[in-house]
Amino acid sequence: MVQILAATVAMVLAGVLLGWVLKKCFGMSVLGARIVGLAVMLFVAPTIDVLTARTPYFEAFFAYGLGAILAGALFYLIRPADVNA
């Protein structure tokens, strides 16, 4: 449970950082850029975890996958309000 919580926090922080970079470079929406950042980190983070902590890849991918789902839900809930609405 703690590993999933840590993976969620890591995915939120990495998603926000990558989302900010993508938004600045490509002019994407905030939510779209954060979701793309999560998708990238979903494959990068377990690989880094496997190389540094020697955890099995499936276990790391499962934890970071759940973290990405929770982070995506959090991003959806705190998305900026639509200006045109």
Side-chain angles (χ1 to χ4, degrees), residues 11-35:
M11 295 300 268
V12 165
L13 294 175
V16 168
L17 177 66
L18 284 174
W20 179 76
V21 170
L22 290 171
K23 184 176 180 335
K24 291 294 180 187
C25 292
F26 300 110
M28 298 175 70
S29 70
V30 174
L31 181 62
R34 288 179 179 174
I35 297 298

Side-chain angles (χ1 to χ4, degrees), residues 39-73:
V40 170
M41 286 305 297
L42 179 60
F43 296 101
V44 173
T47 306
I48 293 171
D49 195 20
V50 167
L51 293 175
T52 58
R54 303 282 189 218
T55 57
Y57 186 78
F58 179 75
E59 182 180 326
F61 188 79
F62 183 75
Y64 283 103
L66 284 175
I69 290 171
L70 293 173

